[in-house]
Amino acid sequence: MYQLFCDSNCELWHTKVKELGLNVIRMPYILEGEEYFYDMGENTDFKMFFEKMRAGATPTTAALNEVAYTEYFEPVLARGEDIYYITFSHQMSGTFEAMKRVIAQLKEKYPEREIRYKDSKMICMGSGFAVYYTALKYKEGATMDELDAYLDELIPHVAVYFAVDDLTYLYRGGRVSGAKKFFGNMLGIKPILYINEEGKILNIDKGKGFKKALYLMRGYVKTKGLDLDKYKMFVMHADNEGEATSFAESLRAEFGELDVEIQSIGPVIGSHCGPGTIGLIFHAKEK
């Protein structure tokens, strides 16, 4: 028997986490000197968090240490169960070096137990998309080998795009220059980013204003969407529900009655993309 793990950077909503019987590794963020661990939206005040960012607060995120990973993993191994962990992209954090060291130590202590992890090569609901559909297989009784094969097939077909409202937060993260931030914000430029096959965030396009940016993202669904009637589509937002709702309606109007879920971006991801961001996740021919 094994336990299925994910981390809170997959952003899967807390009700789904409970329904699917998932174990969640909660990732930390620090706001105004206080450390929090994201609870998948169960008791999170999203509006307060993003209002503080708009007012000038600069939240930060951090990697988990070895003690934290040990506290998550060892009780499962000690009671005689194995572990399968679907992670967010290893390209985006150094936290997995600590995780790997802990796994090596625990394998020595529990040689009869198995600990597997699979890099989803995504973050936010891109990773959540992979976790959700893999968890359905887990609930049906799939083996770890079967989960490996399923994820190897699914991951290359999950597309993640997002448009940011304010370049300040990408500038702080080193993704745009100071000049691009200044002129982009002044001209109302909304960059569109995506997650590539390696799990890296890259700039793919830009729109002058949100309407243009979302029009371009809708175009990616048209050119790349695959089996849209068989999979959920997610529209994510960072305290921008009105824009997210309009965007979801435009997707349904163009592509039919899709199963589109609208959800808030959590504080860990929101610390980097900033308030106003709109994300789109769907099943695609390619990323």
Side-chain angles (χ1 to χ4, degrees), residues 42-270:
E42 187 166 11
N43 296 297
T44 306
D45 190 338
F46 298 97
K47 193 158 195 67
M48 178 275 290
F49 176 82
F50 288 113
E51 282 179 351
K52 284 183 178 291
M53 286 191 76
R54 288 190 174 101
T58 307
T60 58
T61 59
L64 287 182
N65 58 34
E66 292 180 26
V67 172
Y69 281 112
T70 302
E71 289 175 346
Y72 278 111
F73 292 154
E74 186 162 20
V76 177
L77 303 174
R79 64 176 182 254
E81 296 179 290
D82 298 327
I83 290 170
Y84 193 103
Y85 173 22
I86 305 171
T87 76
F88 72 96
S89 173
H90 290 209
Q91 293 284 345
M92 298 183 192
S93 176
T95 193
F96 298 111
E97 293 309 310
M99 180 198 74
K100 290 173 185 176
R101 289 193 294 271
V102 167
I103 288 174
Q105 293 163 10
L106 290 174
K107 282 185 173 179
E108 288 187 6
K109 188 173 181 180
Y110 301 93
E112 72 284 4
R113 301 269 58 87
E114 186 169 5
I115 310 172
R116 288 196 204 181
Y117 60 88
K118 176 69 74 171
D119 182 354
S120 73
K121 300 182 180 179
M122 293 174 283
I123 201 166
C124 193
M125 274 303 302
S127 181
F129 189 108
V131 170
Y132 175 75
Y133 283 102
T134 305
L136 295 179
K137 300 291 183 184
Y138 169 73
K139 291 279 282 185
E140 292 170 359
T143 65
M144 288 200 283
D145 286 342
E146 288 170 335
L147 293 196
D148 276 341
Y150 182 73
L151 282 164
D152 286 342
E153 171 60 29
L154 180 64
I155 288 170
H157 294 287
V158 183
V160 181
Y161 294 90
F162 60 101
V164 300
D165 187 40
D166 188 334
L167 288 163
T168 299
Y169 308 101
L170 293 180
Y171 167 69
R172 288 176 184 167
R175 299 197 180 279
V176 299
S177 68
K180 282 185 177 179
K181 174 183 80 73
F182 176 78
F183 289 109
N185 283 345
M186 184 174 68
L187 296 171
I189 300 299
K190 310 301 180 186
I192 301 170
L193 300 97
Y194 84 113
I195 300 178
N196 73 357
E197 297 84 353
E198 298 175 2
K200 296 178 180 178
I201 296 176
L202 300 176
N203 191 306
I204 191 171
D205 211 337
K206 60 182 179 294
K208 192 172 189 306
F210 245 115
K211 298 299 181 188
K212 178 63 174 179
L214 298 183
Y215 168 81
L216 292 170
M217 289 209 294
R218 200 161 60 245
Y220 302 140
V221 179
K222 188 172 184 177
T223 58
K224 294 189 174 185
L226 177 67
D227 294 332
L228 297 177
D229 59 327
K230 297 178 182 177
Y231 294 90
K232 292 179 180 293
M233 184 180 292
F234 294 92
V235 173
M236 307 294 290
H237 70 92
D239 195 28
N240 198 357
E241 188 171 5
E243 196 75 71
T245 300
S246 296
F247 185 40
E249 289 172 353
S250 73
L251 289 164
R252 293 189 187 101
E254 183 163 354
F255 301 106
E257 281 303 310
L258 304 175
D259 185 1
V260 183
E261 294 193 9
I262 301 170
Q263 185 179 308
S264 294
I265 292 171
V268 178
I269 311 301

